[in-house]
Amino acid sequence: MSDRMIPMSFGKMMHWILTEYETQGRIFGVSKYHHAKPATLSIFGETVENPMGPAAGPHTQLAQNIVTAYVSGARFFELKTVQKLDGEDLPVNKPCIIAPDEAYNVEWSTELHVPEALEEYVKAWVALKVLSREFGFGSDTGFIFNMSVGYDLEGIQSPKIDNFIESLKDATTTACFNECKTWLLANLNRFQHINADFVQGISPQVCRSITLSTLHGCPPAEIERIASYLITKKKLHTYIKCNPTLLGYETARGLLNQLGFTHVPFDSHHFDNDLQFADAVPMLKRLQSLADEHELTFGVKITNTFPVQITENELPGTEKYMSGRALLPLSLHVAQKLATAFDGHLQVSYSGGADALNIADIFQAGIWPITLATTLLKSGGYERLAQIADTLEAKTACNGISLDRLNALCESILQDTRNHRSPKAAPRRKLAAHVPLVDCYVAPCAHTCPIGQDIPRYVSLVGQQRYVEALDVITQQNPLPFITGSICAHSCMAACTRHDYDTPVNIRNLKLVAAQQGMATLLAQKTLIPIHKNKRVAIVGAGPAGLATAVYLRRQGFDVTTFDAHDTAGGVVRHIIPSFRIDAAVIEQDILWVAAHGVTFQLGKTVTPQDLQGFDITVLAIGAWKAGTLKLAGTTPLGCFAFLSDFATKRDTLSLGRHVAIIGAGNSAMDAARAAKRVTGVETVTVFYRRTKTQMPADAEELELAVAEGITLCELRAPISHIDGQLTCAVCELGAPDASGRRRPVETSAHEVYEIDTVIAAVGEKVDTAVLSAFGVTMDETSRPIVNPETLETATSNVYLAGDAYRGPATIVEAMADGLKIAHAVSLSVDSPSKIMSGVPADEILTRKATLMPECHDDTEASRCLSCHEICQHCCEVCPNRANIAVDTSSGVQILHIDALCNECGNCRQFCPYNSAPYLHKFTYFGSEAFMNDNTNDGFLLQDTGDCVVRIQNKLHLYETDKIPNIEPKLVALIDSFRSNYAYIQ
């Protein structure tokens, strides 16, 4: 597959735009247009309707990219950098972009030849003039193009770059400008508001300003020579890109560490070799004076590339360039430092982590224009610009930079939790499945839920305040909505697509709202299913696994009795998890719901196989209550469950001393730490972990809650002994990955000693295998029970395991999933509920997909759901070049990859919910036989003869004449729709 994208002619681009708009109401897939307010801002002798747009990068490389940004709301366009090294001579490794949180790239400048880049910018300029007038998007003088060049004076003075600069200053004599006008004049009948006079009056003055990009290590004298040349010889308003290295290594490292970006790897060599602040300020003042003499604007562009190391082969090469959320504090602090040196009298253009939620503060501090890249590379793509444009057009910038506002902004970003990276590594959100050629829409939340809840449906119902209906949807699969609505590990939220926007939809809390508001009515409506199966079921254990299994089997008509050694049901959730996480009254709500199904309880009774002689089926859901073993010289640590049980029943009598150590880093360890902090007399609680916090098994929110309550985390420490109140730990370092993929902790010769009164071991509880053996369960050589993984039946007929008894310590919802599996194995008739559409109109879904909206903590939280199972299209949204499109077919909307527009940047791979890359794995339209021969994707080609050639599973077929084996009917519908309704793409 070639990584060469093929620019469109102006005529083809305009034909695409006009036809798509007429037939579908879209322009390059965008359906939510921005109509600008009259321009109120002036810069470079031009007016601009708002001061933001795409940064020099993938979103300004092709003409259609610029058009897409414009119709979405952008009005300032920093064109992608050109340099003397171009085209095939430019070494751009592919894939070249990843944007999971902060973004990284290994690009330099445009991948096109410089003359091709010139044509793209001229085509885009003319197109925007026409579209602004034809569709009323704004004034045809309400946007600005700003060219970007690099990287040395010799290259900038070369004939190739000089012609580029001069042609954008005045495109009158360029062939492209005149070809654009010729096409428009020949096609005036296709427009309602464009006439010959308008076309002839289109200004050829594309750019009056320029931004200089220099390589790291460029000497100050060279920077000043280039800027002086651009001001005095080229007569251009000039910005110089400044690097975050102006902050100095210690400041930059400290800022990123403070915000949790400790994983970003870089050393001091760029800081040592780049332009120094002491040299920058006098140079910038000289250039500012020089520009004033020539009646031109001079300023700085913050920031240029920030190079960091590639350590895990995430991109090809050894160094990548960071942007986005992690760059935000660096960029703003560079602006603050320079603005302070100039007492606010410095023009600052900005890029670095700006988005819809912070851009107004940047603008109102007097910093603009503002360009964006990372936010546009995420789901929502270009259409995120509409929210940003609306935000900015309602604000007013101060005259010059307000140091007070800028100082306050720099302080606020350090306090705003949105700018802080979680102490835990982000969970992998890719589904294991491969992306299908058709019908690839999927809600990762529901797909990831172990019990397969119809999450989009019940979230939508909660949003409509239809709580009883929502709870009915929930309880079809989830008989413990109060427990899971309070403390579920929520793998659904870890998979939520809104991670690519702001924060995930708070699915767990919406479930709890439905339970709180709907349970009384649902209980009143509940009717018992008669016992009609001739087998009695005994459930041993009344924790989540046992309770859920009891409900699933009772619904199938079985007579179900649940036994538990405790006097009350609830298992670990009730007897171990502290009440500050979940109250007993909340748990009791679920017990009432379980009982309403007709489940019989026998509590306070430890049962043996002999006690269950009258039962036909036994499900062992006994939980993992046996303490894990921690070898510690000098003392025997207190077991985590033993401590938490005592905390629940006799907290006032506990005595732990002043300093408590928790050994372990799972959720139980966090519970123990938070509980210990609440014991009278305890002053400090420290969690010791032999790995780093990013590798901790505890949920991120549990760790964050613990830290917020004053718990100290001591990483890379392995306790060795506890003697006379002194806990000795070996200092560890991370070595090679172990079998789980985590880097193995290796003890060093260094040791540290801590004053500790009580040690609590939370190193993983175990199942009492003696109980399992008593029921005939056999074990393997690792003491794990031998179970049929499809049915969870043991070697002893009609004896099943569920929850921790089968898995070892697991999550509540995983335990419930075991109950579903057992119910299906026993009854062979447990049906999964059919998926129902969310009921949210498509236009509303599209609006949500373009909008940042942090968590709401009320019913309106449901309005943040993106209904991914109905409209996905992430690969379309995040592609800067529009190389993935959504095609309306007779069998629904399908995704088609357009080979000619793809440069294999790889961004769509990041955001496809499947373990796939759409540009490699989706059905593809090939623009030529050469493209098809250079690619292995399944797809089709429309030949000049009118024939359609289809490739399926590496075999070519003539569409009209061959009977194509193994072709999905929906692919036929896709091909037919493309040929009939999308011919403008050919």
Side-chain angles (χ1 to χ4, degrees):
M1 181 175 181
S2 171
D3 65 358
R4 294 287 297 166
M5 53 199 171
I6 308 300
M8 297 183 229
S9 68
F10 180 78
K12 178 175 180 177
M13 180 178 71
M14 291 303 301
H15 176 63
W16 182 329
I17 292 169
L18 296 173
T19 307
E20 186 182 13
Y21 185 86
E22 179 182 354
T23 60
Q24 302 175 43
R26 305 172 188 159
I27 294 176
F28 291 121
V30 171
S31 59
K32 300 294 181 182
Y33 308 118
H34 178 75
H35 295 269
K37 295 179 180 179
T40 58
L41 298 170
S42 297
I43 191 171
F44 310 144
E46 303 175 77
T47 58
V48 65
E49 289 162 340
N50 70 58
M52 71 83 195
H59 299 94
T60 56
Q61 185 159 232
L62 294 174
Q64 71 261 26
N65 303 15
I66 296 171
V67 168
T68 309
Y70 174 78
V71 301
S72 299
R75 291 299 183 267
F76 186 89
F77 302 88
E78 186 184 62
L79 307 179
K80 192 162 186 182
T81 306
V82 298
Q83 58 157 319
K84 63 182 179 181
L85 191 64
D86 64 352
E88 295 83 356
D89 296 329
L90 182 68
V92 178
N93 296 318
K94 301 297 179 69
C96 55
I97 297 172
I98 54 172
D101 182 349
E102 66 274 14
Y104 300 98
N105 72 85
V106 291
E107 299 176 293
W108 289 15
S109 51
T110 180
E111 298 170 42
L112 302 173
H113 293 96
V114 170
E116 290 178 309
L118 170 64
E119 291 183 358
E120 290 303 291
Y121 302 149
V122 171
K123 287 187 293 187
W125 174 259
V126 175
L128 265 54
K129 293 285 185 182
V130 172
L131 297 178
S132 62
R133 175 68 63 90
E134 178 66 12
F135 298 123
F137 292 136
S139 168
D140 58 272
T141 60
F143 55 87
I144 291 175
F145 279 24
N146 170 251
M147 70 179 100
S148 177
V149 298
Y151 291 99
D152 55 30
L153 183 57
E154 179 186 2
I156 291 169
Q157 290 178 328
S158 69
K160 180 164 51 179
I161 303 301
D162 187 69
N163 180 68
F164 174 87
I165 293 172
E166 291 299 323
S167 295
L168 287 182
K169 287 170 59 180
D170 187 346
T172 301
T173 60
T174 64
C176 182
F177 184 68
N178 289 291
E179 287 167 6
C180 294
K181 292 172 63 176
T182 298
W183 188 92
L184 290 169
L185 292 170
N187 289 274
L188 288 174
N189 62 313
R190 300 191 65 175
F191 300 93
Q192 295 184 27
H193 304 292
I194 303 297
N195 56 31
D197 288 343
F198 178 83
V199 173
Q200 296 293 6
I202 292 175
S203 170
Q205 195 171 4
V206 179
C207 290
R208 304 180 190 184
S209 61
I210 195 165
T211 298
L212 169 64
S213 181
T214 58
L215 294 175
H216 290 276
C218 185
E222 175 75 354
I223 297 173
E224 188 165 4
R225 276 195 298 271
I226 301 171
S228 299
Y229 168 76
L230 296 174
I231 293 168
T232 61
K233 301 299 183 183
K234 295 292 137 181
K235 308 297 183 183
L236 288 165
H237 304 279
T238 301
Y239 282 163
I240 292 178
K241 288 186 178 179
C242 291
N243 294 320
T245 50
L246 285 174
L247 291 174
Y249 173 78
E250 295 298 334
T251 298
R253 183 72 271 173
L255 285 169
L256 291 182
N257 289 353
Q258 182 178 348
L259 295 176
F261 294 94
T262 55
H263 66 291
V264 177
F266 58 91
D267 56 30
S268 64
H269 81 276
H270 284 301
F271 293 85
D272 297 335
N273 297 327
D274 278 2
L275 176 67
Q276 301 297 300
F277 189 79
D279 298 323
V281 171
M283 178 189 74
L284 296 176
K285 288 184 175 180
R286 290 192 296 271
L287 290 170
Q288 190 179 57
S289 297
L290 182 64
D292 289 344
E293 292 174 15
H294 290 265
E295 299 182 340
L296 293 167
T297 302
F298 173 78
V300 295
K301 173 64 185 287
I302 298 171
T303 58
N304 198 4
T305 57
F306 184 63
V308 301
Q309 297 156 11
I310 295 172
T311 58
E312 298 180 357
N313 298 316
E314 62 273 22
L315 285 171
T318 60
E319 197 168 67
K320 59 188 179 183
Y321 303 111
M322 185 180 76
S323 63
R325 187 165 69 125
L327 193 58
L328 176 70
L330 304 184
S331 297
L332 284 175
H333 279 80
V334 172
Q336 179 190 46
K337 192 170 183 178
L338 285 172
T340 300
F342 280 78
D343 197 27
H345 301 297
L346 177 67
Q347 291 278 346
V348 176
S349 175
Y350 184 86
S351 184
D355 63 23
L357 302 182
N358 59 34
I359 197 167
D361 292 331
I362 298 170
F363 175 56
Q364 290 183 296
I367 296 175
W368 64 277
I370 304 167
T371 59
L372 314 102
T374 300
T375 192
L376 306 184
L377 289 169
K378 296 180 179 292
S379 297
Y382 289 100
E383 291 189 81
R384 290 172 177 255
L385 290 166
Q387 181 186 14
I388 297 172
D390 288 339
T391 298
L392 287 178
E393 288 176 13
K395 305 295 182 181
T396 303
C398 56
N399 185 20
I401 293 177
S402 167
L403 292 178
D404 287 343
R405 286 188 171 181
L406 180 54
N407 292 338
L409 176 57
C410 286
E411 180 61 30
S412 69
I413 64 164
L414 299 180
Q415 306 305 320
D416 187 351
T417 56
R418 203 173 73 90
N419 301 318
H420 288 248
R421 193 176 191 273
S422 169
K424 291 256 335 252
R428 175 178 169 80
R429 292 192 289 116
K430 286 278 193 182
L431 305 178
H434 190 79
V435 65
L437 288 180
V438 293
D439 292 347
C440 56
Y441 300 93
V442 63
C445 58
H447 196 92
T448 307
C449 176
I451 55 176
Q453 294 178 95
D454 191 353
I455 293 169
R457 179 61 176 160
Y458 78 67
V459 165
S460 175
L461 289 169
V462 171
Q464 299 170 55
Q465 299 185 1
R466 294 160 61 183
Y467 302 115
V468 177
E469 293 173 72
L471 187 58
D472 186 48
V473 171
I474 292 166
T475 54
Q476 287 180 44
Q477 301 294 96
N478 181 353
L480 305 175
F482 280 92
I483 291 173
T484 56
S486 301
I487 59 171
C488 181
H490 56 64
S491 58
C492 55
M493 290 172 61
C496 179
T497 301
R498 281 212 75 98
H499 275 288
D500 299 325
Y501 289 72
D502 29 57
T503 55
V505 176
N506 195 334
I507 299 166
R508 184 175 68 187
N509 189 63
L510 291 171
K511 182 188 295 137
L512 183 60
V513 169
Q516 292 169 334
Q517 299 295 327
M519 183 55 83
T521 301
L522 206 62
L523 274 170
Q525 296 173 351
K526 181 67 182 167
T527 58
L528 279 179
I529 295 173
I531 296 173
H532 59 270
K533 298 286 177 69
N534 60 0
K535 292 183 178 180
R536 297 181 67 203
V537 179
I539 309 288
V540 182
L547 294 172
T549 307
V551 171
Y552 298 141
L553 289 172
R554 184 64 194 82
R555 283 176 180 170
Q556 300 306 308
F558 289 94
D559 181 355
V560 180
T561 301
T562 299
F563 300 87
D564 198 278
H566 290 90
D567 292 332
T568 52
V572 167
V573 174
R574 184 161 204 157
H575 302 289
I576 297 298
I577 294 179
S579 59
F580 55 77
R581 282 191 64 202
I582 184 167
D583 190 83
V586 174
I587 301 168
E588 192 59 33
Q589 294 289 320
D590 281 341
I591 306 301
L592 289 173
W593 177 244
V594 173
H597 285 76
V599 175
T600 300
F601 287 94
Q602 290 195 24
L603 303 175
K605 180 177 178 60
T606 301
V607 295
T608 66
Q610 289 70 34
D611 298 321
L612 304 180
Q613 292 298 320
F615 291 88
D616 304 288
I617 296 169
T618 301
V619 179
L620 301 176
I622 60 174
W625 290 81
K626 190 175 180 181
T629 302
L630 174 66
K631 294 181 180 179
L632 196 64
T635 190
T636 300
L638 181 62
C640 176
F641 273 23
F643 162 66
L644 287 172
S645 179
D646 287 346
F647 179 80
T649 57
K650 47 185 178 182
R651 172 178 170 180
D652 293 340
T653 65
L654 289 177
S655 177
L656 300 178
R658 295 166 54 205
H659 306 293
V660 177
I662 310 294
I663 314 302
N667 286 342
S668 294
M670 298 304 108
D671 285 345
R674 296 174 66 195
K677 198 74 163 61
R678 289 166 165 79
V679 172
T680 301
V682 172
E683 297 176 5
T684 68
V685 177
T686 306
V687 173
F688 292 87
Y689 185 48
R690 58 187 183 146
R691 289 185 166 97
T692 65
K693 61 184 175 184
T694 60
Q695 299 173 310
M696 291 174 63
D699 294 340
E701 65 178 309
E702 300 305 326
L703 172 59
E704 290 164 5
L705 286 169
V707 171
E709 292 182 7
I711 310 301
T712 301
L713 174 62
C714 201
E715 305 171 272
L716 294 170
R717 298 295 183 271
I720 298 172
S721 65
H722 183 229
I723 300 172
D724 295 332
Q726 301 292 305
L727 180 67
T728 302
C729 296
V731 177
C732 298
E733 60 184 25
L734 294 181
D738 61 16
S740 70
R742 297 186 299 174
R743 293 177 64 190
R744 186 188 305 275
V746 178
E747 294 185 9
T748 69
S749 59
H751 294 80
E752 290 182 352
V753 178
Y754 302 84
E755 183 181 340
I756 296 294
D757 298 305
T758 301
V759 177
I760 300 173
V763 292
E765 285 63 45
K766 300 177 181 179
V767 176
D768 189 343
T769 56
V771 175
L772 300 183
S773 296
F775 281 89
V777 179
T778 55
M779 307 292 167
D780 64 16
E781 62 276 5
T782 65
S783 297
R784 298 279 298 171
I786 298 174
V787 174
N788 181 335
E790 300 301 319
T791 64
L792 303 190
E793 188 175 18
T794 68
T796 300
S797 180
N798 291 321
V799 174
Y800 297 80
L801 297 189
D804 294 351
Y806 162 57
R807 299 172 179 266
T811 67
I812 293 168
V813 73
E814 285 173 332
M816 294 165 66
D818 292 345
L820 268 180
K821 185 175 286 190
I822 292 170
H824 178 76
V826 170
S827 70
L828 300 178
S829 62
V830 179
D831 297 323
S832 296
S834 59
K835 298 300 180 193
I836 306 172
M837 302 301 272
S838 68
V840 181
D843 283 352
E844 171 63 21
I845 296 173
L846 292 173
T847 297
R848 294 179 185 182
K849 286 170 68 64
T851 307
L852 296 191
M853 186 193 306
E855 191 175 344
C856 307
H857 298 289
D858 57 26
D859 284 356
T860 60
E861 175 70 8
S863 68
R864 301 176 65 240
C865 177
L866 301 171
S867 300
C868 300
H869 66 309
E870 297 177 44
I871 298 179
C872 176
Q873 302 180 15
H874 303 305
C875 61
C876 304
E877 297 160 1
V878 305
C879 177
N881 296 354
R882 322 315 281 158
N884 301 311
I885 66 170
V887 177
D888 291 305
T889 78
S890 60
S891 60
V893 178
Q894 305 295 349
I895 302 301
L896 183 68
H897 179 62
I898 309 299
D899 180 67
L901 300 184
C902 181
N903 66 333
E904 298 186 16
C905 74
N907 194 46
C908 61
R909 180 194 294 269
Q910 179 69 46
F911 296 96
C912 177
Y914 295 92
N915 189 25
S916 304
Y919 76 99
L920 296 174
H921 303 127
K922 289 301 290 181
F923 205 59
T924 298
Y925 167 67
F926 303 104
S928 73
E929 187 172 349
F931 293 164
M932 194 173 201
N933 292 337
D934 200 27
N935 193 304
T936 59
N937 291 10
D938 285 350
F940 66 100
L941 163 68
L942 301 179
Q943 296 180 321
D944 293 339
T945 60
D947 288 333
C948 177
V949 179
V950 181
R951 180 165 60 213
I952 296 290
Q953 297 179 359
N954 294 320
K955 292 185 178 180
L956 297 178
H957 307 271
L958 273 179
Y959 184 68
E960 261 76 20
T961 58
D962 288 1
K963 184 176 181 181
I964 305 176
N966 303 319
I967 188 167
E968 160 70 49
K970 292 183 178 181
L971 286 179
V972 174
L974 173 56
I975 295 170
D976 289 344
S977 180
F978 182 86
R979 297 173 74 188
S980 301
N981 304 319
Y982 294 80
Y984 54 82
I985 294 176
Q986 299 175 28

